[in-house]
Amino acid sequence: MTEDLETAARAAAAALQAGGGNPADLTTLGWYHASRGDTAAAGSFFERALQADPRAVEAMIGLSGLHRAAGRLRDAALHCDAALAASPAYAEAWLERAYVMAAGGVMDEARRCYLEVLTHAQGAPTLLAAAHAGLTAIAARDGEADEGRRHARAALAADPAHAGAIAALATIELEAGEAQVARDLVEPVLTRMPTPAPERLELLHVLGDACNRLRDPAAAFTAYARAKQDFAAIHAGTFAGRPPHREFIAGIAAGLGGMDVSGWPGPAGTAGPPHVFVLGYPRSGNTLLENVLASLPGTAAIEEMPTLREADMAFLAEPDGLARFAGLDEAALAPYRSAYWQRAGQALGRDPAGLALVDMDPLKSIRLPLIARLFPAAKVLLVRRDPRDVVWSCFRTSFALSNAAMDFTTLEGAARHYDAVMRLTELALARLPMAVLEVPYHRMVQDFDAMTHEICEFVGLAWTEDLRRFDRTARARGVSTASARQVRRGLFDGTRQWEPYAEYLAPVMPILQPWIEKLGYAS
């Protein structure tokens, strides 16, 4: 919080107490409370400012930032769009919209918005630095080192201490094999950041990755753990009072255990193109498999989109939802199928009819009861990976805000979340009529042709050498998951990455050992 903002907030509060005040004063108080982490008060003041003046663009941007921080990206985008409709050259609105798009993984649109900031923010070094830093981060994600360094230099010229630009530049150096350079860039900046902040969190993840590359597991673990602590602290208010996501998953398992599925149709053949769900668990290789299949002609892939949202809200949000779902007839199920295909078309930007549709989302595993009943003809590819690699990777990875991401802020939380999803998955495999092929990650990366031949035969697609060019597909499509950089590099064997961190995983091994043995990773 700057002294200028605090002074302005005191003046605004005095004006309101005196019976005066205006939308600008209300907006100032909104920003003041937002800077103190009081999101409820901030939102109230921003809303009051908009009631007084529906064109109060700074209040719109304030609300967008609050929604973005809480993971409500659609609401955030709507406020940005309203601000830009009122003031098309408002650079701050373009910047906020870029942040929203980047948070949602819509990188092409984020890039466009950052470029709009550069057009409209001439003479505003803070905004220029932020936009160039954002473009640096996108370039780093896309492997465009020269472009990234160019924007990083511009960002640091405008603001030599810009943490986002330094983090993105360090990522570029890391990807270029200069792990020590990356570490040297980041460590001095962190000494000047004593409290949790999104910028510090980002720098800590980069530091962890650099130390991992330098084979310094103790320093890497410390950096990752600090990053997760920051993530938990930053979002504590949003999740206050909510149970862990694993408890929600356990509730679905309990509902599935009591369902009568005896009348459900079994897997059915289809004359049309296949409909494929790629499921499993985060960091198991789902993004790799999605881009492999998306490389085939006539195939369209959806990446982690809420295609089952209507069914989710109707049947997973309430304790008795699955029991009601089990008893529905075909006429009652039809609207939920229709809603799915409508969302799939929106995600693709075209009608999915006539295309082999690949719907990839690791945590749609918890929706297997919905998938089995709504889409009996669908093929399910269940990606499996060594539980130790999965849990370690979830702990070390920087995820966007979600219910699951909060469980990943400790190794124990990640292990218990993994256990909950695996228990539900095994119950679904035992009870539900589905066509399922388990896809071991290690076979994909170590025996690619044989595994992909098996996959294609199972789903009903012809194998071609296009599958081997999935890295080109990933670069052309853009990847918004945390696996973006790995997939763009081509076939990458990520097995046994947990081994340098075995001592840190030791406390959660009792949770993971049954799954290590069941999935065949005990040797």
Side-chain angles (χ1 to χ4, degrees):
M1 176 176 51
T2 67
E3 291 183 6
D4 287 346
L5 179 56
E6 188 166 4
T7 300
R10 283 199 298 266
L16 289 176
Q17 287 179 343
N22 54 44
D25 291 327
L26 293 165
T27 299
T28 296
L29 289 166
W31 287 111
Y32 170 74
H33 285 286
S35 73
R36 293 169 58 88
D38 188 346
T39 57
S44 175
F45 278 112
F46 288 140
E47 292 284 4
R48 287 172 62 187
L50 284 172
Q51 290 170 5
D53 178 7
R55 294 175 62 85
V57 292
E58 289 189 14
M60 296 176 195
I61 297 311
L63 283 170
S64 176
L66 296 179
H67 287 310
R68 173 169 54 84
R72 298 187 293 270
L73 298 183
R74 182 178 180 277
D75 291 335
L78 289 174
H79 281 295
C80 287
D81 291 345
L84 289 166
S87 182
Y90 187 38
E92 287 87 345
W94 284 113
L95 183 61
E96 173 60 26
R97 193 172 193 278
Y99 290 157
V100 173
M101 295 299 113
V106 190
M107 294 305 179
D108 286 345
E109 183 62 12
R111 180 186 288 108
R112 186 182 77 84
C113 292
Y114 283 129
L115 291 173
E116 289 283 354
V117 177
L118 298 183
T119 298
H120 299 296
Q122 294 305 314
T126 300
L127 295 176
L128 292 172
H132 280 297
L135 290 165
T136 305
I138 294 173
R141 187 183 186 94
D142 292 345
E144 299 170 351
D146 291 342
E147 180 78 358
R149 288 190 180 99
R150 180 174 71 82
H151 283 296
R153 286 193 294 270
L156 295 173
D159 180 0
H162 197 287
I166 293 169
L169 181 58
T171 299
I172 290 170
E173 299 300 343
L174 189 60
E175 292 304 305
E178 299 291 343
Q180 188 62 54
V181 173
R183 185 174 184 173
D184 291 343
L185 279 168
V186 167
E187 285 184 325
V189 183
L190 285 168
T191 64
R192 302 192 296 269
M193 304 179 75
T195 57
E199 295 81 8
R200 190 174 84 161
L201 185 157
E202 184 180 12
L203 287 163
L204 285 166
H205 273 292
V206 177
L207 177 60
D209 290 346
C211 293
N212 180 63
R213 294 275 185 93
L214 292 168
R215 299 183 181 178
D216 187 350
F221 179 80
T222 298
Y224 292 136
R226 288 179 63 199
K228 291 299 186 181
Q229 290 164 7
D230 277 10
F231 186 93
I234 291 165
H235 299 296
T238 300
F239 286 89
R242 294 193 198 180
H245 191 232
R246 59 183 177 269
E247 293 186 14
F248 171 71
I249 296 165
I252 296 174
L256 173 58
M259 287 171 64
D260 179 6
V261 300
S262 59
W264 289 18
T270 178
H275 179 199
V276 183
F277 287 92
V278 176
L279 313 178
Y281 196 81
R283 310 302 293 161
S284 293
N286 306 81
T287 302
L288 168 61
L289 180 52
E290 174 211 359
N291 281 279
V292 167
L293 293 175
S295 301
L296 291 174
T299 301
I302 300 172
E303 180 182 275
E304 296 188 6
M305 297 297 289
T307 47
L308 286 164
R309 179 171 176 77
E310 283 71 20
D312 281 355
M313 297 302 294
F315 307 117
L316 298 187
E318 300 296 333
D320 64 341
L322 282 177
R324 290 186 292 103
F325 177 69
L328 296 181
D329 59 21
E330 288 299 307
L333 294 172
Y336 298 101
R337 291 193 181 107
S338 177
Y340 173 90
W341 289 112
Q342 183 176 0
R343 284 189 175 272
Q346 291 170 348
L348 291 172
R350 54 178 166 160
D351 187 347
L355 298 169
L357 180 66
V358 178
D359 188 340
M360 187 283 289
D361 189 341
L363 288 182
K364 277 199 178 81
S365 296
I366 69 178
R367 295 158 175 84
L368 280 168
L370 305 180
I371 291 169
R373 183 79 193 281
L374 292 173
F375 306 107
K379 301 296 180 71
V380 175
L381 297 173
L382 192 61
V383 188
R384 303 288 208 179
R385 187 183 179 190
D386 186 327
R388 292 163 293 193
D389 274 326
V390 170
V391 168
W392 170 246
S393 188
C394 285
F395 179 72
R396 64 171 283 192
T397 298
S398 178
F399 288 101
L401 179 63
S402 68
N403 291 326
M406 289 299 285
D407 281 41
F408 299 156
T409 54
T410 65
L411 277 172
E412 181 181 354
R416 293 195 181 283
H417 188 276
Y418 177 86
D419 179 64
V421 174
M422 292 302 105
R423 288 175 183 270
L424 173 56
T425 301
E426 292 305 306
L427 181 61
L429 293 177
R431 297 212 64 215
L432 299 175
M434 299 180 294
V436 180
L437 175 68
E438 296 194 24
V439 181
Y441 167 81
H442 67 275
R443 284 196 59 203
M444 270 202 296
V445 297
Q446 296 171 1
D447 193 7
F448 181 84
D449 282 3
M451 187 72 251
T452 53
H453 269 101
E454 186 176 340
I455 291 168
C456 286
E457 182 178 355
F458 171 75
V459 301
L461 292 169
W463 190 96
T464 77
E465 292 189 359
D466 290 330
L467 290 165
R468 297 173 181 156
R469 294 185 279 273
F470 67 87
D471 55 328
R472 300 180 193 176
T473 301
R475 284 193 292 270
R477 294 177 63 229
V479 177
S480 61
T481 71
S483 303
R485 284 193 288 272
Q486 294 98 316
V487 174
R488 280 198 322 272
R489 289 204 301 259
L491 207 57
F492 168 76
D493 189 345
T495 57
R496 310 191 78 84
Q497 292 189 0
W498 65 272
E499 289 182 335
Y501 302 92
E503 65 176 290
Y504 305 108
L505 285 163
V508 302
M509 286 301 292
I511 302 170
L512 299 181
Q513 192 61 43
W515 300 111
I516 293 169
E517 294 173 3
K518 182 174 182 59
L519 299 180
Y521 291 100
S523 59

